[in-house]
């Protein structure tokens, strides 16, 4: 039985200290400066759609990490970095400029994700690191497929594709950053509250009236109930089987939140 639950909309990935590949699906070219008030981010952003903001974004993210007193505060302050680069999107006039602006907004959360992964992989014990590394690799492997399912192909979207892709990647990368921050907070024994899961992440129809979904395989040989539980992911409980299977009625399978 293969149960695929697609929950997601918009991400990046983490680069592990040892050898996790960069979260980007494609090499992008173009970042610059970044910062804002309270967290020592430089005021003002020079609008230049040909400029590479990569190093500036990295500096802004590093400043946020250094100036935040907790992981909860850090994730909140990351929004200030996004606000700094939002004028790029507001000033964009052409599709090409909109695509470039979306790229840098995605880069912010991709950079934060890689930063969190570096700290998490150096702080976790061996077992926890192995588990997190397996989850992270799985997340990276599925990211391209999830993006395709949610926004469609490059051929279907034409010149808008980079905008749609990076906007989607921004959101799912931000989600993943919160998940890693939560795990790092556990190690540091900090309180950490996850944000509400947006309604735009996955569409589910409650056909039972109790927050659950009934499931029947295409050939009718397996039936069960799917329960969606926000950031905790989902579970599937087998209620009926017809024929021989490597599981039995009553067994329950957990599917952690990924996107």
């Amino acid at each position: 039985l293969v149960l695929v639950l697609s929950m997601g909309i918009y991400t990046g990935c983490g680069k592990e200290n040892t050898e996790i590949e960069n979260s980007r699906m494609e090499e992008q070219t173009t970042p610059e400066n970044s910062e804002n008030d309270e967290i020592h981010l430089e005021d003002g952003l020079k609008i230049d759609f040909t400029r590479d903001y990569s190093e500036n974004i990295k500096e802004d993210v590093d400043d946020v990490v250094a100036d935040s007193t907790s992981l909860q505060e850090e994730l909140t302050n990351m929004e200030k970095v996004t606000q700094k680069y939002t004028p790029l999107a507001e000033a964009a006039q052409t599709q090409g400029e909109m695509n470039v602006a979306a790229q840098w907004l995605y880069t912010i959360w991709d950079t934060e994700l890689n930063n969190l992964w570096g700290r998490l992989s150096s702080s976790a014990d061996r077992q926890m690191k192995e588990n997190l590394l397996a989850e992270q690799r799985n997340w990276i492997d599925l990211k391209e497929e999830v993006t395709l399912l949610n926004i469609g192909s490059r051929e279907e979207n034409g010149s808008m594709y980079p905008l749609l892709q990076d906007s989607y990647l921004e959101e799912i990368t931000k989600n993943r950053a919160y998940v890693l921050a939560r795990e790092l907070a556990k190690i540091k024994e900090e309180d950490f509250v996850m944000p509400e899961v947006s309604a735009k992440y996955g569409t589910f129809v409650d056909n039972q009236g109790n927050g659950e979904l009934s499931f029947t395989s295409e050939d009718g040989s397996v039936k069960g109930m799917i329960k969606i539980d926000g950031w905790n992911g989902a579970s599937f409980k087998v209620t009926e089987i017809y024929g021989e299977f490597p599981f039995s009625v009553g067994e329950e399978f957990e599917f952690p939140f990924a996107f």
Side-chain angles (χ1 to χ4, degrees), residues 3 5 211-215 224-228 234-237:
L3 176 62
L5 296 175
E212 297 183 342
L213 314 170
S214 63
F215 168 84
M225 299 301 298
I226 299 170
K227 185 173 183 179
I228 309 299
S235 62
F236 175 71
K237 186 173 184 178

Side-chain angles (χ1 to χ4, degrees), residues 176-239:
R176 187 63 184 165
Y178 267 92
V179 170
L180 294 189
R182 178 181 61 186
E183 296 308 308
L184 183 56
K186 290 177 184 176
I187 294 174
K188 299 178 72 171
E189 298 184 339
E190 291 181 10
D191 291 333
F192 190 82
V193 179
M194 296 292 280
E196 288 187 23
V197 178
S198 171
K200 66 185 178 182
Y201 292 91
T203 301
F204 306 98
V205 179
D206 177 3
N207 55 15
Q208 301 299 303
N210 58 2
E212 297 183 342
L213 314 170
S214 63
F215 168 84
T216 302
S217 61
E218 289 187 1
D219 62 2
S221 61
V222 178
K223 294 184 179 182
M225 299 301 298
I226 299 170
K227 185 173 183 179
I228 309 299
D229 189 18
W231 288 103
N232 294 320
S235 62
F236 175 71
K237 186 173 184 178
V238 181
T239 57

Side-chain angles (χ1 to χ4, degrees), residues 33-150:
N33 204 43
S34 107
E35 323 219 286
N36 194 276
D37 265 356
E38 219 173 338
I39 47 174
H40 306 307
L41 297 184
E42 294 174 6
D43 292 327
L45 175 73
K46 182 179 179 181
I47 304 298
D48 183 350
F49 292 101
T50 66
R51 188 171 181 177
D52 185 337
Y53 291 93
S54 302
E55 285 305 312
N56 302 100
I57 288 175
K58 184 178 184 304
E59 289 174 10
D60 290 341
V61 170
D62 287 344
D63 285 344
V64 166
V65 173
D67 293 345
S68 299
T69 59
S70 68
L71 286 157
Q72 193 81 65
E73 183 180 326
E74 175 183 329
L75 273 287
T76 299
N77 285 338
M78 280 303 302
E79 297 294 347
K80 296 180 181 179
V81 182
T82 296
Q83 289 168 15
K84 177 179 177 178
Y85 290 88
T86 297
L88 279 170
E90 295 172 342
Q93 299 291 313
T94 66
Q95 186 62 59
E97 290 173 348
M98 293 178 198
N99 294 347
V100 168
Q103 169 193 332
W104 297 126
L105 293 174
Y106 158 49
T107 298
I108 293 167
W109 283 102
D110 187 61
T111 303
E112 167 67 354
L113 185 65
N114 286 324
N115 191 303
L116 282 164
W117 178 260
R119 285 176 281 157
L120 184 55
S121 62
S122 64
S123 302
D125 61 35
R126 193 172 70 84
Q127 187 58 57
M128 183 180 189
K129 184 176 178 178
E130 286 179 3
N131 292 340
L132 289 169
L133 183 57
E135 287 180 13
Q136 189 70 0
R137 284 176 171 160
N138 183 56
W139 182 79
I140 293 168
D141 290 342
L142 287 173
K143 187 173 56 171
E144 187 171 353
E145 181 181 353
V146 169
T147 301
L148 178 64
L149 287 171
N150 279 275

